[in-house]
Amino acid sequence: KTGVHAGSNHSRFTLQKTNLQIGVEHPLLGVGISLQQGYLREKLDKDPGSEIQMWNKYIDKWGILYPAYANVGEFTLRFAETGLLGLGLYLLPSIFLLLNYGKILIKRKMNVEQTTPFIFSFLSFIGIMSTGLGGAINTTFCYWMAMAISFLALEKVSKN
């Protein structure tokens, strides 16, 4: 495959850009869980990418509730489906964790024994969150496990 519209990268970027457009058109509450498929089908009707056309054929064959389009960006998908309100609620625990990590790093109130688990949990959580930019972080429970470990690490630091 060659050309601008060939390959998986074109499909990935197009889906993320389209999910952002859907979210901007429905900013407060989004379009509803799993209902963005119909909006994607309508907006991507004339896209020349072979992968997107394959997904369009699945939607035509099985209907708009069939999960034909891949989840290639957790945060853009959340924005399209649940709007700013849903995305904000989804990210609220993560924002809380990041703010607390930052506060502890700035104050440097840790002893040497706490540094390794703290840095491990911080880097793990940041790494898992960054996968949400280009993929689904809810497929496995790694995001939630990293969040739980991060809360435990922060709790341990705050007790001392």
Side-chain angles (χ1 to χ4, degrees):
K1 292 180 182 179
T2 59
V4 176
H5 302 288
S8 182
N9 282 339
H10 166 75
S11 303
R12 182 175 300 276
F13 294 134
T14 301
L15 283 177
Q16 286 199 6
K17 188 169 57 174
T18 308
N19 276 331
L20 281 174
Q21 289 172 351
I22 293 168
V24 168
E25 291 170 5
H26 305 274
L28 187 59
L29 297 174
V31 296
I33 302 293
S34 298
L35 297 178
Q36 120 297 0
Q37 299 278 333
Y39 288 86
L40 285 173
R41 174 64 185 98
E42 179 183 318
K43 290 183 177 296
L44 298 175
D45 188 39
K46 294 184 176 27
D47 187 90
S50 61
E51 196 170 22
I52 290 177
Q53 289 305 317
M54 175 189 67
W55 294 332
N56 285 344
K57 288 178 187 172
Y58 290 154
I59 292 288
D60 292 343
K61 183 175 181 180
W62 290 303
I64 62 169
L65 294 180
Y66 180 78
Y69 299 102
N71 179 4
V72 295
E74 187 73 38
F75 305 127
T76 56
L77 176 69
R78 295 262 173 202
F79 180 51
E81 289 184 343
T82 61
L84 288 172
L85 185 62
L87 180 62
L89 288 173
Y90 181 75
L91 291 176
L92 190 64
S94 301
I95 293 168
F96 175 79
L97 279 175
L98 293 175
L99 289 174
N100 281 307
Y101 270 129
K103 186 169 42 172
I104 289 171
L105 286 172
I106 289 170
K107 290 183 180 179
R108 297 178 190 224
K109 60 175 195 174
M110 278 187 291
N111 58 31
V112 176
E113 300 89 42
Q114 294 170 322
T115 305
T116 303
F118 180 82
I119 291 173
F120 169 76
S121 65
F122 175 71
L123 292 176
S124 297
F125 186 67
I126 293 297
I128 296 287
M129 275 204 68
S130 66
T131 60
L133 297 172
I137 56 178
N138 283 336
T139 303
T140 64
F141 291 103
C142 293
Y143 175 69
W144 305 107
M145 291 299 294
M147 187 179 292
I149 291 168
S150 296
F151 273 116
L152 290 172
L154 287 173
E155 179 66 24
K156 188 174 182 181
V157 169
S158 67
K159 280 186 178 180
N160 295 332

